[in-house]
Amino acid sequence: VRWTMMGSHQQRRWTMTGSHQQRRWWHCCTSPNFITCTIIIHCIVFASTAFEQPTCSAQDTSLRDPNLQRHTFDIGYGEEEFDFYVTPDVSTFYQEEAGSKVPVTPKFNGISGKFVNLSPVRVEWYWDPGNGQKGILMATCPPFESVGTATFPTHKFYFTDSDGAILKRFVVVPGRSIYYYDPFEVVGDEQATRRNLELLTLDEYEKYEKHKRTMLFNEKYREITGRDYLPIYPRNKP
């Protein structure tokens, strides 16, 4: 296909010469539908190559946060590894020498509260306003599930059965976010605990065991980081 400019300086126009097949090909390539399809194809190709790139520090070690510390531990399930985020010295946020600044404790002491039901029955979760007042229903917690809220130290909560009988009371303490109701564990008597667990079905026991493993891991997590581990452990890496 060949383009030729014809006409005066004020009235120039372009004419196209070439075979019938060449002209049809040119009109096809310059049609709006063709251009739109071409743009879409380029976008798809670009997106597919972008997805091949690492998306987080768990996949690209060059992006690894220096405050992630890998520790090896055994909480009864064999040797495991985990990357714990340890809060750095506050001075490093200001690019100053470690120890040159002292962190300030905020006046606001609100924390997250997570309350876990380790029983095979649905329970009701109440906030206890104290002073003999009637508890306020917060939520219903299914078997082997949890409920949560923003809360403060000294706040009180409790679980009840469907008849309103109190099963477990909780008092929120500073720095601790997770609280458990476990009707099977007999503290100091492992055999009695095992007999109680034999009442569970296999599916129920697997759910119970998953929460118990999370509880054990949380103690290790608190030991290293000073914080509670709120998700279920173990989690799949991204």
Side-chain angles (χ1 to χ4, degrees), residues 28-178:
C28 177
C29 292
T30 56
S31 68
N33 289 339
F34 180 84
I35 296 173
T36 302
C37 291
T38 303
I39 293 173
I40 292 175
I41 292 172
H42 279 289
C43 290
I44 293 173
V45 172
F46 176 79
S48 64
T49 56
F51 277 119
E52 295 175 358
Q53 302 302 316
T55 57
C56 69
S57 58
Q59 296 173 320
D60 187 352
T61 56
S62 66
L63 302 175
R64 183 180 177 82
D65 192 315
N67 299 302
L68 282 175
Q69 298 181 9
R70 182 161 298 176
H71 289 260
T72 302
F73 57 92
D74 188 342
I75 55 175
Y77 299 86
E79 191 173 274
E80 301 179 75
E81 282 188 343
F82 190 84
D83 293 332
F84 297 82
Y85 180 83
V86 179
T87 305
D89 188 291
V90 67
S91 306
T92 61
F93 293 112
Y94 300 88
Q95 299 183 352
E96 296 182 6
E97 184 180 353
S100 61
K101 289 186 178 295
V102 178
V104 176
T105 302
K107 293 182 179 179
F108 181 81
N109 62 347
I111 56 176
S112 58
K114 179 180 179 180
F115 303 84
V116 185
N117 174 22
L118 289 180
S119 78
V121 297
R122 185 179 299 271
V123 299
E124 295 182 340
W125 175 48
Y126 287 83
W127 174 58
D128 183 1
N131 300 322
Q133 300 180 63
K134 184 179 180 180
I136 298 175
L137 179 63
M138 299 284 288
T140 300
C141 186
F144 305 105
E145 294 290 344
S146 63
V147 288
T149 184
T151 185
F152 293 87
T154 73
H155 274 191
K156 299 177 181 179
F157 300 88
Y158 56 87
F159 280 154
T160 73
D161 61 18
S162 57
D163 296 324
I166 296 179
L167 303 171
K168 177 75 174 182
R169 289 186 179 273
F170 310 98
V171 179
V172 177
V173 298
R176 183 169 287 276
S177 294
I178 308 177

